[in-house]
Amino acid sequence: MACNATSEVFFKYGTDARTEIEEQAGYFDYIPLAKDSTEIEWYPNFAHSDLFCAYGGSLFAQDEMQVAEHPALGSLREALLAEDVMLLTVEAGMPTPITIRGIERRCAIATDANAEQGRPFGLYGNYFARAKPEAIQLATTPLNLPTITNIIAMEAPPGGYGIYTDSEIEYILVTALTAFSAARIDSCAQSNRGSRVTIHTGFWGCGAYGGNRVLMALLQLLAAHLAKIDRLVFHTGSVARDRDFATAQAILKENLIAGRSTVELSALIGKIHAMDFPWGISDGN
């Protein structure tokens, strides 16, 4: 659904407005749209509850990578802290995603494994701290003509064990739905009524936080439909035709929304809970 002037809270899923789903191998590339495009794109920051709090640390995960390539995000944090304003994506136990528009991307940093350039295991996660400065410099390409990025910051639940509870599933869905809805509303506020809204995402909360890859993909797909996002681009990392993402898509189409006009959210959450998704294990990054 392209932008319109109204915002709604969606308690039911309707089959009248389907989100276009696109799978893309690789990671966020922030390729700018054509100049005449009316589409508005958003990229997630898989945030800590204290947004950008570790941007100066030795770990180099998605949050730190994004700040390194968009240095104004670090400046934004420091400026707000100087005014005693906290950037919190969770407050009082409730998700409070943050949207940030119009951030310049000033460089591109390669994190893939490249022994010839001094990063035999890449730069992601803890490998960044072990890399020599020369290797980091070789991996960094300045963008003399910076591109512009819109960002949605949202935190996944930081770890769990056993089978996901219905309250955990509801919390994750509400977080993603709130973030995606905010992006759509923000897009409508800055554009004409005909603009399409695209959200890029990936396996949110499935690294250091140990989230279940199928469930986290499934809940984001569902949230995109509920928020009436026009297009969701799911980046699967190094694997093309990712099996976990394919499973999530199949569950959504065949088990949750097939042949239905409207479905109560509570019924959807109950059905997902009955699938007994187990928590995963942190990857240490």
Side-chain angles (χ1 to χ4, degrees):
M1 174 180 287
C3 280
N4 55 56
T6 62
S7 60
E8 305 171 63
V9 177
F10 302 99
F11 293 103
K12 293 186 177 182
Y13 173 82
T15 57
D16 58 327
R18 294 295 183 92
T19 299
E20 176 188 339
I21 304 298
E22 178 183 330
E23 180 181 358
Q24 191 173 116
Y27 302 94
F28 301 153
D29 49 26
Y30 305 101
I31 295 175
L33 296 166
K35 289 184 178 180
D36 59 351
S37 175
T38 60
E39 193 167 355
I40 297 176
E41 290 189 306
W42 294 83
Y43 286 85
N45 176 281
F46 295 154
H48 186 276
S49 58
D50 184 6
L51 187 56
F52 310 138
C53 65
Y55 78 86
S58 60
L59 185 71
F60 203 56
Q62 193 265 345
D63 176 72
E64 294 79 28
M65 290 165 57
Q66 196 170 68
V67 178
E69 294 187 339
H70 303 77
L73 295 174
S75 299
L76 174 63
R77 173 179 171 83
E78 298 302 332
L80 290 176
L81 289 179
E83 298 294 328
D84 294 323
V85 177
M86 298 293 292
L87 283 80
L88 300 178
T89 61
V90 178
E91 294 190 60
M94 295 299 294
T96 53
I98 295 172
T99 59
I100 305 171
R101 290 202 318 250
I103 297 295
E104 288 188 344
R105 186 179 184 228
R106 304 292 308 195
C107 66
I109 303 174
T111 58
D112 61 322
N114 188 323
E116 292 183 357
Q117 293 193 357
R119 51 179 198 277
F121 302 103
L123 292 179
Y124 186 80
N126 290 302
Y127 288 116
F128 181 82
R130 303 170 192 167
K132 294 181 179 180
E134 305 82 52
I136 297 172
Q137 185 173 0
L138 283 172
T140 304
T141 302
L143 300 180
N144 295 322
L145 292 176
T147 58
I148 301 298
T149 305
N150 300 317
I151 290 171
I152 318 168
M154 57 183 190
E155 185 183 36
Y161 61 92
I163 301 298
Y164 279 82
T165 65
D166 54 356
S167 60
E168 288 173 330
I169 292 169
E170 180 180 7
Y171 180 90
I172 296 164
L173 179 58
V174 168
T175 300
L177 176 56
T178 303
F180 293 175
S181 296
R184 185 175 69 82
I185 293 168
D186 208 346
S187 298
C188 295
Q190 66 168 313
S191 68
N192 59 60
R193 293 171 63 91
S195 294
R196 279 168 46 91
V197 180
T198 292
I199 291 177
H200 293 257
T201 192
F203 287 109
W204 169 50
C206 298
Y209 285 5
N212 183 290
R213 286 165 58 92
V214 174
L215 178 63
M216 296 303 284
L218 172 63
L219 293 176
Q220 289 183 90
L221 292 173
L222 180 57
H225 283 283
L226 291 168
K228 298 189 177 181
I229 299 303
D230 296 292
R231 185 168 70 109
L232 185 80
V233 181
F234 199 98
H235 297 255
T236 56
S238 59
V239 179
R241 297 182 180 178
D242 185 89
R243 183 177 300 176
D244 292 330
F245 179 66
T247 300
Q249 282 191 293
I251 292 172
L252 180 70
K253 293 177 181 178
E254 299 169 13
N255 297 85
L256 298 183
I257 62 175
R260 299 169 184 263
S261 56
T262 59
V263 181
E264 293 287 348
L265 278 184
S266 58
L268 284 176
I269 291 168
K271 197 163 188 178
I272 295 169
H273 178 239
M275 296 177 189
D276 289 339
F277 285 103
W279 276 90
I281 300 173
S282 171
D283 66 1
N285 287 316

